[in-house]
Amino acid sequence: MKKTIGILGGISLASTIQYYKKITDLYYERYNDYYYPEIRINSLDFQYFTDLENEHRTEEYINYIVKGIHALEKSGAEFVIMGANSPHSVFNEVLNKINVPMISIVESTAKRATELKLSKVLLTGIKYTMQATFYQEVFKKYNIEVITPNEAHQDEINSIIFNELVINIFADKTRKRMLDIVQSYHVEGVILGCTELPLLITQNICPIPVLDTLSLHAKAALDFSLNEEYKSLSFT
């Protein structure tokens, strides 16, 4: 029996749509039928969520995420994924307050980096993610070094995400600029640590391995739902 997937979405709209699309597209690619797993989506208030992050109102932030997941539980979700990188900064705190398994986007990405034998990667994302330590803490267990862009580049990437990507603006000049930033660092791969970034940067245009966190997370969710061999650590 397939497990019902719960997606905590709205953080942001652009990536939530992609989660739904990638999970269902991947299922069809594998089985060529329409027996998709059932999916529940709870869309949060993106501005309120972002305000809590920017103002470091951590307790309120955790409680808002937990409230959203509890709604998914009540709707029948048998496990959940948070459809963004940044809330994984409080992954363990949230996990302790919910009643279903939760799959980590960071662990899913670290597993893939290990498969690619990467030892040093660049983390891109919103400033909240780039200035936190949750990616470094998880990747350290896999002996992979995670570095972040300098402050000027962080400001630039953050602006690109909030002023363009989350409202579905994907300009060629922005794509080129992001690639220029990535290539200015001596790393073996790049983490697209915001679930909107894979809509801008793809492996076929980047000269180093791209860790598309959204796709890796979606695949892990589908694998878990289908009870297939599950290589991404889910809830430890």
Side-chain angles (χ1 to χ4, degrees):
M1 293 292 292
K2 297 182 287 288
K3 298 183 183 70
T4 300
I5 302 169
I7 302 175
L8 189 69
I11 44 181
S12 70
L13 165 68
S15 61
T16 303
I17 293 169
Q18 289 301 311
Y19 265 98
Y20 183 83
K21 185 176 188 305
K22 284 185 180 294
I23 290 171
T24 53
D25 285 353
L26 181 56
Y27 177 89
Y28 188 82
E29 288 171 12
R30 291 184 187 180
Y31 302 105
N32 199 35
D33 65 41
Y34 306 109
Y35 294 105
Y36 302 120
E38 293 187 7
I39 299 173
R40 310 284 192 263
I41 298 174
N42 184 15
S43 184
L44 300 185
D45 178 334
F46 183 47
Q47 187 60 64
Y48 177 55
F49 177 85
T50 302
D51 290 345
L52 294 178
E53 286 186 338
N54 292 338
E55 296 166 14
H56 300 285
R57 291 151 63 186
T58 306
E59 184 176 357
E60 193 174 348
Y61 182 62
I62 292 169
N63 289 338
Y64 186 47
I65 293 168
V66 169
K67 179 182 176 182
I69 293 175
H70 282 165
L72 288 169
E73 293 174 357
K74 290 176 183 177
S75 75
E78 296 176 81
F79 72 100
V80 296
I81 55 175
M82 297 185 289
N85 281 268
S86 58
H88 287 74
S89 62
V90 292
F91 181 87
N92 291 328
E93 293 88 339
V94 169
L95 185 61
N96 289 334
K97 294 176 179 288
I98 63 176
N99 305 304
V100 293
M102 181 165 62
I103 296 175
S104 166
I105 199 170
V106 186
E107 292 280 2
S108 301
T109 304
K111 291 281 188 179
R112 180 57 180 157
T114 300
E115 291 172 358
L116 293 172
K117 297 180 169 53
L118 305 179
S119 61
K120 185 177 182 181
V121 294
L122 178 72
L123 172 62
T124 59
I126 64 171
K127 284 189 76 172
Y128 179 90
T129 296
M130 291 186 287
Q131 294 183 353
T133 60
F134 61 96
Y135 258 97
Q136 288 84 347
E137 290 164 2
V138 172
F139 272 60
K140 186 177 180 180
K141 297 189 300 183
Y142 297 88
N143 296 313
I144 301 172
E145 180 184 2
V146 176
I147 68 167
T148 53
N150 62 43
E151 189 169 354
H153 284 162
Q154 287 188 23
D155 287 337
E156 194 170 354
I157 295 168
N158 194 73
S159 177
I160 286 169
I161 292 168
F162 281 106
N163 296 326
E164 298 183 40
L165 305 189
V166 300
I167 53 174
N168 291 298
I169 297 174
F170 307 102
D172 287 340
K173 66 177 182 179
T174 302
R175 185 173 288 107
K176 182 181 183 304
R177 180 56 188 153
M178 274 296 303
L179 287 171
D180 287 343
I181 291 173
V182 169
Q183 292 179 77
S184 69
Y185 294 89
H186 297 292
V187 292
E188 299 170 0
V190 56
I191 301 169
L192 302 183
C194 172
T195 46
E196 284 76 34
L197 283 172
L199 302 173
L200 185 71
I201 303 297
T202 57
Q203 186 61 76
N204 64 341
I205 64 170
C206 188
I208 60 174
V210 168
L211 296 167
D212 174 349
T213 59
L214 191 156
S215 293
L216 293 167
H217 204 199
K219 178 184 179 299
L222 181 61
D223 289 347
F224 193 70
S225 173
L226 300 177
N227 299 302
E228 295 183 349
E229 183 179 1
Y230 182 61
K231 296 181 180 179
S232 296
L233 190 63
S234 56
F235 43 95
T236 62

